[in-house]
Amino acid sequence: MYNSKIIGMGMYVPENVVTNDDLTDIMDTSHDWIVERTGIQERRHIKKGDGNTTATMGVKAAKIAIERAQIDKKDIDLILFATLSPDYYFPGSGVIVQQHLEIPNCPAMDIRNQCSGFIYALSTADQFIKTGMYENILIIGSENHSGGLDMTTRGRGVSVIFGDGAGAVVLSRTEDTDKCILSTHLHSEGQFAEELALIGPSTNRWVPEIIEANDPMDISYYPNMNGQLVFKNAVVRFSEVIMEGLQQNQMTPDQIDMLIPHQANLRISQFIQRKFGLSDDQVYNNIMRYGNTTAGSIPIALTEAWEEDKIKSGDLVVLAAFGSGFTWGSALIRW
Ligand code: UT7
């Protein structure tokens, strides 16, 4: 029986910084409202012509992760790509990454689990390694939100939150039973599917239908979120799924060295921090600088925490996410 461990990490965000004050030029909002409700000070947006797409940002993050993993890209057995904003409706972005990385024949698979996408991908990769099927798996979480948001006052409840960016890790086989992924925990609750969703364009609402209807009131092609419902569920599910992981490993909250929550809202992270009695040093947040980058948020935060020397060998690192679907999950890692 094998285990898996993260052996390389990387991240990439577009250069273009969009501050809260920049947003006040185009919609009725304020720096204070955004900071008070979300903690976000600025985010990155792809700029037209800068060459960034969901897949190419993923490629940039992946190249750093592969270099740090000190493996040859030809040794990657599987690419898992988590995103809600793929380059194309089909095929998925995993194959675009494969094309850019020039890895000829390995399988590439997209994971469609939004804010929990990276945890779902990590868990999937962990299973493939545990069964012995694969040895090195490249996992990417990447999002291009900015091009698809309603950047008018009508869309402010959603559009101020999201940012673009990508993170990547290389997960590899290890025979170490101590320093490895200890467990992963996944959940979904489809009854809330439409509470945070982009309904059209889709196979229920094809593009020609939208164009033909020519309805100025139709905003189904923008993401729609029942913010308060999402918030209420998030704080409950984050707590539950972290506890589930701790209990499965016969651990208690005081054993957590570093919690890296999906960066959805600083208030959610702070609630979880208080609930588990963690200090500021034990919870990593960077939503202030990047907003919510959905599937990108955990691998970006993990990379930064590691670069800033906040994760040390032997630490218990807990990852947790909640979002659209609803889907949520956690991963416990002995570093
Ligand atoms: O990663 C995926 C998971 N997503 C989340 O976890 C997000 C969870 N939800 C949230 O983080 C919060 O619900 C939001 C930050 C999205 C919104 O905060 P809120 O405290 O729930 O605000 P609200 O939607 O209840 O809106 C309160 C007021 C409304 O005005 P009225 O009706 O009270 O007059 C909104 O129209 O704030 C108004 N508002 C804004 N005002 C200024 C909404 N968005 C904005 C804005 N700027 N950007």
Side-chain angles (χ1 to χ4, degrees), residues 50-72:
D50 71 4
N52 285 313
T53 70
T54 300
T56 63
M57 289 191 295
V59 169
K60 288 173 188 165
K63 283 184 173 167
I64 299 167
I66 293 168
E67 196 187 324
R68 286 175 173 165
Q70 297 180 322
I71 61 164
D72 193 308

Side-chain angles (χ1 to χ4, degrees), residues 30-44:
S30 69
H31 175 75
D32 290 349
W33 189 96
I34 299 171
V35 171
E36 194 184 307
R37 305 282 176 132
T38 71
I40 300 166
Q41 310 253 359
E42 59 186 42
R43 73 286 293 141
R44 304 296 179 97

Side-chain angles (χ1 to χ4, degrees), residues 238-239 241-243 245-246 251-261 272-273 275-279 281-284 314-320 331-334:
F238 263 107
S239 306
V241 81
I242 294 168
M243 236 14 247
L246 290 170
M251 290 174 177
T252 47
D254 58 294
Q255 290 175 273
I256 298 174
D257 294 298
M258 176 56 74
L259 171 65
I260 302 189
I272 305 301
Q273 176 178 340
K275 172 138 190 156
F276 287 99
L278 302 172
S279 68
D281 290 342
Q282 290 170 299
V283 183
Y284 192 83
D315 278 358
L316 177 66
V317 178
V318 177
L319 313 179
L332 272 72
I333 306 171
R334 178 69 67 195

Side-chain angles (χ1 to χ4, degrees), residues 11 13-14 16-20 23 34-35 38-45 115 143 145 149 158-166 261-266 269 284-298 300-301 304:
M11 60 160 283
V13 290
N16 180 34
V17 177
V18 177
T19 64
N20 293 340
L23 294 177
I34 299 171
V35 171
T38 71
I40 300 166
Q41 310 253 359
E42 59 186 42
R43 73 286 293 141
R44 304 296 179 97
H45 283 181
C115 304
E143 304 290 357
H145 283 301
L149 297 170
V158 173
S159 54
V160 301
I161 298 168
F162 292 100
D164 303 335
H262 160 56
Q263 304 291 294
N265 185 321
L266 192 59
S269 295
Y284 192 83
N285 289 303
N286 60 10
I287 191 168
M288 307 71 100
R289 285 176 282 129
Y290 305 130
N292 179 345
T293 57
T294 309
S297 94
I298 289 183
I300 290 173
E304 285 200 334

Side-chain angles (χ1 to χ4, degrees), residues 158-265:
V158 173
S159 54
V160 301
I161 298 168
F162 292 100
D164 303 335
V169 306
V170 176
L171 194 74
S172 284
R173 179 187 291 177
T174 176
E175 287 176 20
D176 196 333
T177 51
D178 183 28
K179 290 180 181 165
C180 58
I181 293 189
L182 302 176
S183 62
T184 56
H185 309 270
L186 306 176
H187 296 278
S188 305
E189 199 172 24
Q191 78 177 95
F192 296 115
E194 281 82 24
E195 301 294 347
L196 174 46
L198 197 158
I199 302 298
S202 67
T203 54
N204 277 317
R205 194 152 169 67
W206 288 100
V207 173
E209 196 187 312
I210 294 172
I211 294 171
E212 201 177 311
N214 193 20
D215 177 1
M217 299 305 281
D218 178 12
I219 49 165
S220 67
Y221 41 81
Y222 289 122
N224 171 58
M225 174 167 72
N226 181 344
Q228 293 200 2
L229 182 81
V230 175
F231 192 101
K232 281 182 198 146
N233 277 269
V235 289
V236 172
R237 298 308 194 185
F238 263 107
S239 306
E240 276 178 10
V241 81
I242 294 168
M243 236 14 247
E244 181 185 347
L246 290 170
Q247 279 167 357
Q248 176 158 328
N249 292 282
Q250 285 99 43
M251 290 174 177
T252 47
D254 58 294
Q255 290 175 273
I256 298 174
D257 294 298
M258 176 56 74
L259 171 65
I260 302 189
H262 160 56
Q263 304 291 294
N265 185 321

Side-chain angles (χ1 to χ4, degrees), residues 9-10 45 47 92 129 143 159 313 335:
M9 285 160 284
H45 283 181
K47 217 173 184 172
I129 288 175
E143 304 290 357
S159 54
S313 177
W335 205 261

